[in-house]
Amino acid sequence: MKFMRTIMITGGAGFIGSHVVRRFVRNYPDYRIINLDKLTYAGNLANLKDVEDCPNYKFVKADICDFDKLLSVIRDEKVDGIIHLAAESHVDRSIKDPFTFARTNVMGTLSLLQAAKAVWEPLGYKNCLFYHISTDEVYGALELTHPEGIEPPFSTKASSEQHKAYGDKFFTEDLKYMPHSPYSASKASSDHFVRAFHDTYGMPVIVTNCSNNYGPYQFPEKLIPLFVNNIRHRKPLPVYGRGENVRDWLYVEDHARAIDLIFHKGEVAETYNIGGFNEWKNIDIVKTLIRVTDRLLGRAEGEDMDLITYVTDRAGHDLRYAIDSSKLQRELGWEPSLQFEEGIEKTVKWYLENGEWLDQVTSGEYLKYYENMYGGR
Ligand code: NAD
Ligand code: TYD
């Protein structure tokens, strides 16, 4: 079969990447989708079981730092679009091991840009696009000027009765980058390289910066799946500091839908912020998770509140993230689809119904499984 386009999605075996791959494989049968992933601890092909046999899907095990391999895949497969998600993504790991973050997020992105340039430049970049997925954390941290929260001057479907804004300022696309963690510094650097390839070589690029995602298939080192798993096993819930830090949460499928829209309709060289105007203090999320998980497990709602354990704060812990996504809403008509309560309920339910996935991922069983298939990791 002749495909209309060939799109390479990097990091497709990870949390967000697997939702993006699934969406593109299902929605675009006339596109060939190549999932290029190194399968680090965070990559898991079980996340894509339901699409692995689709005729328009192909998996390639490769490291984004392997320039020669990237060159051959982009050239031989005639890749004309790249959606780049592969990265080291956990702030706590970056504090312990910043080199790995610089290697993958900076050098890996640069290798991918160089390989794409080598193949696409001779074609005049015709119908080519390098779409880089980044984070709101590159903007640094906002102040918490309204600790009790205020009703924000906007409305969105993601908002809810409890929805509040905890400060007057939001991250907009024109803000100066002020990353604080090694993770956000490495992502900021990769964003700069992507834009430099547009400005220097004329490569068509788009960058998007999204807020915290939640939903199925997130590796249980991140707040929401870690805590659901711990409540399930009645293990302590380590809340950093006083739990006062604010994050802006978006359901992962809403992010994947935004990526689809921007890939097809976004303006080249533009940046779009993606978020649902949905700020929550960590401690309020944790209490909500306990109530929902208890109820779904048939326990008395809230009986596990005593699992909350305040622990030493994360070094350099950013106080507040809040994305202003009005450019994306105004220019491309995107809106988040889910109320947060609905999304949290769906998410907790998914983890509880997929306890086997959680157990395998936390036990490292899946690492052994793929060792046989792909010859070691
Ligand atoms: P994840 O950690 O769940 O998945 C990362 C994937 O990249 C894994 O499949 C891993 O195997 C792969 N990978 C890592 N190093 C690689 C390498 N050297 N070569 C090839 N593949 C490699 O991450 P995620 O949460 O799905 O995040 C995906 C992207 O979205 C990242 O770029 C991240 O910065 C960005 N992002 C994440 C969030 C969030 O809340 N999770 C928010 C905004 C932006
Ligand atoms: P995380 O899911 O690691 O995402 P990020 O650091 O990219 O925002 O953490 C979300 C928030 O939860 C963050 O403020 C740190 C906090 N947190 C805890 O309090 N305890 C934990 O065990 C974890 C993993 C996170």
Side-chain angles (χ1 to χ4, degrees), residues 44-270:
N44 185 357
L45 288 178
N47 298 357
L48 288 166
K49 271 236 142 309
D50 51 333
V51 296
E52 69 184 12
D53 294 327
C54 293
N56 63 335
Y57 172 73
K58 181 175 177 178
F59 172 68
V60 176
K61 183 178 188 306
D63 188 330
I64 53 163
C65 296
D66 183 347
F67 174 80
D68 293 337
K69 178 75 183 179
L70 296 173
L71 192 61
S72 70
V73 175
I74 297 170
R75 179 179 291 143
D76 300 348
E77 302 282 357
K78 299 191 169 45
V79 169
D80 54 14
I82 295 176
I83 305 179
H84 176 36
L85 295 109
E88 289 292 337
S89 67
H90 190 40
V91 174
D92 293 329
R93 284 178 188 259
S94 82
I95 293 168
K96 293 199 186 88
D97 177 19
F99 273 119
T100 300
F101 282 69
R103 179 187 177 275
T104 293
N105 299 357
V106 184
M107 291 307 289
T109 301
L110 181 54
S111 304
L112 194 56
L113 285 162
Q114 278 284 56
K117 173 175 171 285
V119 180
W120 291 351
E121 201 172 47
L123 308 173
Y125 293 109
K126 199 160 176 276
N127 301 325
C128 295
L129 179 66
F130 189 105
Y131 178 0
H132 178 60
I133 307 300
S134 192
T135 165
D136 58 353
E137 304 191 25
V138 298
Y139 297 118
L142 293 165
E143 280 181 31
L144 215 151
T145 47
H146 297 284
E148 297 313 315
I150 47 164
E151 288 307 316
F154 39 70
S155 69
T156 119
K157 284 192 185 151
S159 68
S160 65
E161 289 305 308
Q162 289 115 321
H163 169 63
K164 294 190 170 105
Y166 289 97
D168 312 308
K169 296 215 169 66
F170 295 83
F171 294 141
T172 49
E173 287 84 356
D174 55 357
L175 269 194
K176 199 168 127 189
Y177 276 23
M178 296 260 284
H180 297 300
S181 73
Y183 163 65
S184 52
S186 68
K187 290 296 291 186
S189 171
S190 66
D191 294 10
H192 289 316
F193 270 110
V194 172
R195 295 192 179 104
F197 268 62
H198 170 267
D199 297 349
T200 309
Y201 308 113
M203 181 182 286
V205 308
I206 292 180
V207 177
T208 56
N209 299 82
C210 188
S211 60
N212 284 60
N213 284 216
Y214 71 99
Y217 299 112
Q218 186 167 30
F219 194 81
E221 63 184 352
K222 306 278 170 62
L223 181 75
I224 290 179
L226 174 72
F227 279 29
V228 173
N229 199 31
N230 284 9
I231 299 165
R232 193 173 151 241
H233 294 295
R234 291 216 154 98
K235 281 170 45 181
L237 307 175
V239 175
Y240 299 159
R242 291 188 298 130
E244 295 288 308
N245 301 64
V246 171
R247 295 291 181 267
D248 187 354
W249 296 91
L250 183 68
Y251 192 65
V252 62
E253 284 178 10
D254 280 334
H255 188 190
R257 192 164 44 81
I259 291 172
D260 181 351
L261 178 68
I262 293 164
F263 180 81
H264 288 99
K265 300 262 161 64
E267 282 284 326
V268 164
E270 285 294 319

Side-chain angles (χ1 to χ4, degrees), residues 254-354:
D254 280 334
H255 188 190
R257 192 164 44 81
I259 291 172
D260 181 351
L261 178 68
I262 293 164
F263 180 81
H264 288 99
K265 300 262 161 64
E267 282 284 326
V268 164
E270 285 294 319
T271 294
Y272 300 91
N273 282 351
I274 309 173
F277 292 112
N278 183 44
E279 292 176 53
W280 284 71
K281 281 190 183 175
N282 290 342
I283 192 62
D284 292 335
I285 295 251
V286 172
K287 288 179 181 165
T288 304
L289 287 177
I290 294 172
R291 276 194 290 271
V292 174
T293 309
D294 279 347
R295 176 165 45 75
L296 291 175
L297 285 174
R299 301 176 187 166
E301 208 173 292
E303 78 170 75
D304 286 316
M305 287 294 171
D306 58 357
L307 294 177
I308 294 176
T309 309
Y310 292 96
V311 299
T312 310
D313 209 354
R314 173 186 278 172
H317 197 174
D318 286 336
L319 192 52
R320 171 177 173 247
Y321 300 146
I323 273 275
D324 181 343
S325 61
S326 47
K327 174 177 171 182
L328 177 60
Q329 303 201 3
R330 196 177 55 245
E331 294 187 5
L332 299 183
W334 174 88
E335 289 203 320
S337 66
L338 276 185
Q339 296 273 347
F340 189 56
E341 285 77 0
E342 213 181 323
I344 281 290
E345 179 95 13
K346 239 173 117 155
T347 301
V348 174
K349 213 167 178 176
W350 186 88
Y351 284 106
L352 296 181
E353 283 169 1
N354 290 274

